[in-house]
Structures are given as structure tokens and as C-alpha cells.
Amino acid sequence: MLHNLAVGLPVMLVCLMLQAVFVAVCLRYYVRFKHAWQGRAELGQEVLLLSVVMVLILFGNFVQMAIWAVLFMLLGEFPDFATALYHSGVNFATLGYGDIVMSPTWRLLGPMEAANGILMFGVSSSVTTAAVLDVIKHNLAALGPDAEP
């Protein structure tokens, strides 16, 4: 069990730092976009902005799945990257199909990746929610004080 923690925890930390980078990039992009348009974005621009935020955050999650898949390959758990990535995606998204399992030696890495994944999807959801709420706030403000709930 300790060898699973010794291998899995550093990967989790790398994933946490990577997610922080993607969040920071998304927030910088978002702030720069909002500043460039002085808060007066059109519908298409708002859709583009929210889409870019969601795609960047989702890409960050996919990169993390790939990192776990590489780890599984380095440990000799899977013969090819496609299988390792599939298994990683199932763990990261907490689906738990169970159609492909790891050896008893490294089995604990699956739940560790699932814990990592559920945390990262939570962060992804919060970033997306913050962006959506900001768009709503600016649209309400543009309507005037009578539009406030």
C-alpha cells in the first residue's frame, strides 16, 4: 500500500499544479477579454468566451488523464497507451466500469486517480460557474437597476 501512495501522491500533486495552471490561464484569458470589451460583449462573444474557458479546463482534465495513463504504462500495467488512457479516463471520471483492472500490486492507484479526478472536475465546474455567473451579472447590470432581482 505504501508503494502505491509513494507513486500516486506525486502524480496527484503534479495534476493539482497542472490544474492550477489551466485555471490561471483561463482566468487571465477571461479578464483580458472582459477588459478589452469593457464589459459590453455581444452574445457571440460571450458564447466564445465561455466556450474557450470550458474547452481549456476540459483539456486540462484530459492532460491529467494522459499523465495517469503514462504512469500506468511505466508501471507495466497495460500493453498500449490506448488501453491505459481508457482505464485512466474511467478512473478519473469515477465511472468504475471494472472491465479493465490493474494488478493487485498497483490496484490502489485507481481510487487515487478517481479522488484526483473528482476533485479536478469540481474545480472545473467552479471555474465554469464563476464565468457564467459573471456573464449573468454583467448582463443584468447592462439592463439597469430595475432589472436586479
Side-chain angles (χ1 to χ4, degrees):
M1 180 172 113
L2 290 178
H3 65 283
N4 282 264
L5 293 174
V7 170
L9 287 177
V11 174
M12 288 179 82
L13 290 174
V14 167
C15 289
L16 291 170
M17 291 187 329
L18 183 65
Q19 186 77 355
V21 168
F22 276 96
V23 167
V25 167
C26 284
L27 294 177
R28 283 179 179 240
Y29 174 81
Y30 186 87
V31 168
R32 287 182 182 160
F33 178 87
K34 295 297 272 187
H35 178 72
W37 292 98
Q38 285 91 28
R40 297 185 312 264
E42 299 295 323
L43 176 63
Q45 294 164 331
E46 290 174 346
V47 169
L48 177 63
L49 175 62
L50 293 174
S51 296
V52 168
V53 167
M54 289 185 283
V55 166
L56 283 175
I57 290 294
L58 189 59
F59 180 71
N61 289 329
F62 287 143
V63 169
Q64 292 174 67
M65 288 177 217
I67 289 170
W68 281 97
V70 167
L71 172 64
F72 298 153
M73 296 226 18
L74 291 174
L75 295 173
E77 287 296 305
F78 301 106
D80 58 272
F81 183 72
T83 304
L85 185 60
Y86 169 77
H87 180 74
S88 177
V90 168
N91 285 337
F92 198 85
T94 68
L95 290 173
Y97 287 153
D99 56 338
I100 299 175
V101 295
M102 294 181 22
S103 68
T105 303
W106 297 109
R107 188 175 300 173
L108 186 58
L109 290 177
M112 290 180 71
E113 183 183 8
N116 185 186
I118 197 70
L119 177 63
M120 294 304 100
F121 279 122
V123 170
S124 300
S125 296
S126 67
V127 169
T128 303
T129 300
V132 169
L133 288 175
D134 188 60
V135 167
I136 291 170
K137 181 182 88 173
H138 283 302
N139 281 300
L140 283 173
L143 294 174
D146 294 335
E148 295 292 328

